[in-house]
Amino acid sequence: MKSFARFKAALTAAFTAAALLTVSVPAVQAESGTDNAAVPEDLIGIATQFGDVNFDQTVSMTDAIQLQRYLLGDSSKLGNWKNADLDENNVIDIFDLAVLKRQMLGEKTEAGGTLSVKVVDMMTGEPLANTNIFVWAIYDGHSYDVAQWDYDPDDDAVIAGLPQSDKYQYVIDLCNLPSGYGSSCNQQLVFTYDGKEDKEIVLRVAADNAEKNVRIDKYDWAQLQEQPNCGVMNITDKDGNPYYPRFFFEELALPDGEYHVDFELFDYYDIQLLDPDNEFGREIQALFPDVEFADKRNGFDFTVRDGKADRGLRFDFAPIEGQRNYLNVRCVDFATGEPLKGVKLSLIEAPAAYARTVSEWTTDETGSQEFELLHAGFPAYKVQVEEVPAGYSGDKGQEIRWSFVNGCKNEVTLYFVRDTSFRNVTVDIFKWEDGSLSNDAAAFDVWSADFTDITNLNMQKVYENLKAGEPFMLPDGSYIAALNGTQLREKGLAGIDLYNPNDTDALESGVDPEHFMLQTSVIRFTVQDGKPVRDLMFFVRDYDPALDEPTEIPEIIEEKKPLPETIA
């Protein structure tokens, strides 16, 4: 795009003649349609750029000729009649042509605002020539191109005639950045005119090798973990000039100066910026008295001095105000299905972190207790069995996992078995290589399971940490038993993978795969008429890295980071 000022002499002569031809032309209503470029149906009646009469995304002499022909009756249609209505009175007449003349001569007019864009290096301010600048707009859900050009520091390119109503949002994208400046994915600026007549925008781009000297963390206090991809930051200097518009990442390069950063959350994350004065904010401050909290819902200011931020920088997130998750804990006699009274339990929040006990209770005749909870995470809570009624044994507790606090409802059913002298089930562990009894290899858990729909097993834990070879009681039904994999690995053992041909070569044809679930360390069985329908046996073998370590998909171990200690 060239500077319009350099055409001033030629345009002055052209419009002197044109004005003599148009003084006596009466005002006329514009017709929709075009002699040049097609106007999309959804843009008919929308001003995209005052002066762009023929709708070709530029304002030039051809627009003046098009409007002149229309006023003289040589053309019955305009490319975009709204763009030709430069004085915005819904009538196309010689006054609009007069405004267009002034606009093209570089004079200030009432027909929209102007836009100039410069592209420079983030740290040095040096211009980045030949960067492609692409400007487009959004109006009432409709988007359209405005202009596109290569940035030339020696050419003061100005786009004029942009509608200034706050209904228009303008977007600047940078493309084809110079070598060493990466992609344009983080160089997008969205703006409105906000009543201003002119926009002079400088976009700054950090070089790929620029030192990332500032870090702004994003921390979700409901889950007690970083939440890095939940939205975008907008970083400006103290005068509002953009440095990082719509920036996704935590680490960035900034020159020394005073800055402001605000945050825009993505809609699909069920969190909000933390309010230190609401219920959740007060609770978190009590749990972490050594952490400083501040209200950052409108962003915060910071300074970079001598290449470093003046303090630790972080946005804090919390559950959406008024949202809760719901938990119902039931205790049941496994044999009868009736509620079990007298079980003592605890509800522990963030068991892997600060492990706060939020409730202790003993079941009444209903056997159940309901909770409204404010925390999430993996795990968010643990239901822990502290004491069972005399004559019973069973579940030790369960962990509760929620991604967000967003109205989720969980029901945990804990099953307990009456401990009598009738113990009808025994499970043994055998070493596959030599057939030796290995009941000390690992403990195992037992779940009741409905096998009618194998793709959607309805499982409920019945026993935890049972010792192989010792009898225990189960009523008639279908079950799954699984060895503790961690304990097996510690003993240098593993189950046989039924879906790995290299592993199952060792199995004799007499072993029925239907007795197992994926591995011989997990068995499925039925108790009928008071006894198992077959002998119950786990099979284990020596741990073999060639069979048990993944080769194509590496194991990913997430580094557990400490809780933040400072806050901006």
Side-chain angles (χ1 to χ4, degrees):
M1 177 174 290
K2 303 296 183 182
S3 172
F4 297 128
R6 63 180 59 182
F7 297 112
K8 184 171 184 178
L11 291 174
T12 300
F15 278 119
T16 299
L20 295 175
L21 295 174
T22 57
V23 170
S24 61
V25 176
V28 291
Q29 295 292 336
E31 293 183 57
S32 298
T34 180
D35 281 347
N36 292 351
V39 181
E41 185 175 347
D42 61 343
L43 295 180
I44 294 175
I46 295 176
T48 59
Q49 183 181 2
F50 292 114
D52 181 15
V53 177
N54 61 5
F55 195 70
D56 66 352
Q57 281 77 52
T58 61
V59 178
S60 65
M61 189 176 294
T62 58
D63 295 295
I65 294 172
Q66 178 85 356
L67 182 54
Q68 178 74 35
R69 289 175 56 205
Y70 177 79
L71 292 173
L72 292 174
D74 293 339
S75 172
S76 61
K77 297 179 180 179
L78 295 171
N80 184 344
W81 74 266
K82 264 293 193 180
N83 288 350
D85 185 18
L86 281 83
D87 58 7
E88 296 186 88
N89 65 354
N90 292 321
V91 175
I92 310 300
D93 54 24
I94 59 173
F95 298 105
D96 297 301
L97 184 60
V99 176
L100 179 56
K101 283 196 308 179
R102 290 164 49 210
Q103 177 179 325
M104 296 182 65
L105 291 172
E107 297 179 17
K108 183 63 183 172
T109 73
E110 63 275 16
T114 64
L115 172 66
S116 64
V117 182
K118 296 180 179 179
V119 186
V120 302
D121 179 273
M122 177 69 67
M123 306 302 287
T124 67
E126 291 297 315
L128 300 180
N130 299 318
T131 297
N132 184 256
I133 301 173
F134 177 40
V135 182
W136 51 287
I138 304 171
Y139 177 89
D140 195 26
H142 305 294
S143 63
Y144 57 90
D145 296 346
V146 175
Q148 186 172 3
W149 72 98
D150 289 335
Y151 172 56
D152 181 354
D154 297 326
D155 185 359
D156 296 328
V158 177
I159 305 173
L162 297 182
Q164 298 164 263
S165 165
D166 57 8
K167 294 182 180 180
Y168 289 82
Q169 275 192 318
Y170 294 95
V171 184
I172 302 176
D173 278 313
L174 301 185
C175 308
N176 300 322
L177 289 162
S179 176
Y181 284 86
S183 69
S184 64
C185 62
N186 296 306
Q187 313 304 332
Q188 184 184 77
L189 175 69
V190 181
F191 71 91
T192 60
Y193 272 87
D194 300 323
K196 298 179 180 178
E197 296 180 351
D198 302 301
K199 284 282 185 180
E200 297 180 2
I201 293 175
V202 178
L203 288 179
R204 297 163 176 85
V205 185
D208 296 341
N209 61 2
E211 179 188 358
K212 293 178 172 57
N213 58 333
V214 175
R215 180 180 177 89
I216 303 177
D217 289 313
K218 307 158 194 172
Y219 199 81
D220 182 355
W221 288 94
Q223 298 193 51
L224 296 179
Q225 67 177 25
E226 292 181 6
Q227 197 68 264
N229 300 312
C230 58
V232 292
M233 293 184 289
N234 176 37
I235 300 173
T236 66
D237 64 15
K238 63 179 182 180
D239 297 320
N241 299 308
Y243 275 72
Y244 282 94
R246 300 186 60 78
F247 189 71
F248 293 86
F249 306 107
E250 286 74 45
E251 295 182 334
L252 55 150
L254 277 174
D256 285 1
E258 297 179 7
Y259 300 97
H260 178 83
V261 55
D262 52 40
F263 196 89
E264 179 185 348
L265 270 163
F266 295 139
D267 291 339
Y268 46 82
Y269 278 82
D270 289 312
I271 53 178
Q272 66 181 26
L273 287 162
L274 184 142
D275 177 1
D277 294 326
N278 70 7
E279 177 186 359
F280 182 85
R282 292 191 297 271
E283 181 180 320
I284 285 296
Q285 290 177 90
L287 287 169
F288 299 95
D290 295 332
V291 178
E292 250 181 77
F293 291 93
D295 190 343
K296 300 178 181 176
R297 289 174 292 173
N298 294 317
F300 59 88
D301 298 326
F302 66 97
T303 300
V304 177
R305 185 179 296 111
D306 297 328
K308 295 181 180 179
D310 58 347
R311 59 194 183 281
L313 308 177
R314 187 182 71 249
F315 280 104
D316 299 303
F317 302 100
I320 295 174
E321 187 82 24
Q323 284 278 36
R324 297 287 192 278
N325 283 343
Y326 304 93
L327 174 66
N328 183 30
V329 181
R330 299 173 59 239
C331 294
V332 174
D333 184 308
F334 183 75
T336 66
E338 294 297 320
L340 185 60
K341 182 180 178 180
V343 183
K344 293 183 179 180
L345 305 106
S346 297
L347 182 64
I348 301 171
E349 183 179 88
Y354 51 85
R356 177 177 68 136
T357 299
V358 296
S359 181
E360 296 177 318
W361 76 101
T362 301
T363 56
D364 57 17
E365 59 277 359
T366 68
S368 65
Q369 185 83 1
E370 293 186 350
F371 298 94
E372 295 184 4
L373 302 171
L374 273 173
H375 289 260
F378 295 87
Y381 294 88
K382 181 180 180 181
V383 177
Q384 184 166 291
V385 177
E386 305 292 352
E387 186 179 322
V388 298
Y392 279 88
S393 62
D395 207 329
K396 303 298 183 183
Q398 292 187 31
E399 290 184 342
I400 313 301
R401 299 171 179 265
W402 284 312
S403 296
F404 295 101
V405 178
N406 56 0
C408 290
K409 297 181 179 180
N410 275 26
E411 183 171 287
V412 171
T413 302
L414 306 177
Y415 288 95
F416 300 89
V417 178
R418 184 179 294 278
D419 190 10
T420 68
S421 59
F422 177 64
R423 300 185 181 187
N424 56 335
V425 180
T426 303
V427 185
D428 290 308
I429 305 173
F430 290 93
K431 189 78 176 294
W432 183 256
E433 288 87 348
D434 58 13
S436 60
L437 189 66
S438 302
N439 282 345
D440 62 346
F444 65 94
D445 301 337
V446 178
W447 290 263
S448 66
D450 181 0
F451 294 119
T452 55
D453 182 2
I454 196 69
T455 62
N456 186 27
L457 287 175
N458 182 16
M459 298 175 58
Q460 297 287 349
K461 185 180 286 186
V462 180
Y463 287 108
E464 190 174 70
N465 290 323
L466 290 177
K467 182 174 176 55
E470 294 185 357
F472 58 98
M473 182 269 180
L474 280 176
D476 286 0
S478 299
Y479 301 93
I480 290 175
L483 289 173
N484 186 303
T486 301
Q487 294 177 12
L488 277 181
R489 178 65 68 86
E490 291 173 351
K491 294 286 184 65
L493 300 170
I496 298 171
D497 186 350
L498 299 177
Y499 286 83
N500 185 339
N502 296 325
D503 208 359
T504 54
D505 281 346
L507 289 175
E508 297 177 358
S509 59
V511 175
D512 186 353
E514 291 298 317
H515 292 170
F516 305 94
M517 296 283 291
L518 304 179
Q519 284 200 355
T520 58
S521 60
V522 183
I523 61 176
R524 51 186 290 187
F525 63 96
T526 300
V527 176
Q528 184 176 319
D529 298 328
K531 60 182 180 180
V533 297
R534 61 179 174 83
D535 292 336
L536 305 181
M537 293 173 285
F538 295 109
F539 293 103
V540 296
R541 58 162 171 76
D542 290 330
Y543 170 75
D544 183 351
L547 296 173
D548 298 312
E549 289 291 347
T551 55
E552 296 182 1
I553 304 176
E555 182 179 4
I556 298 175
I557 301 176
E558 183 176 350
E559 178 185 359
K560 186 167 182 60
K561 299 182 179 179
L563 295 175
E565 297 179 354
T566 59
I567 194 166

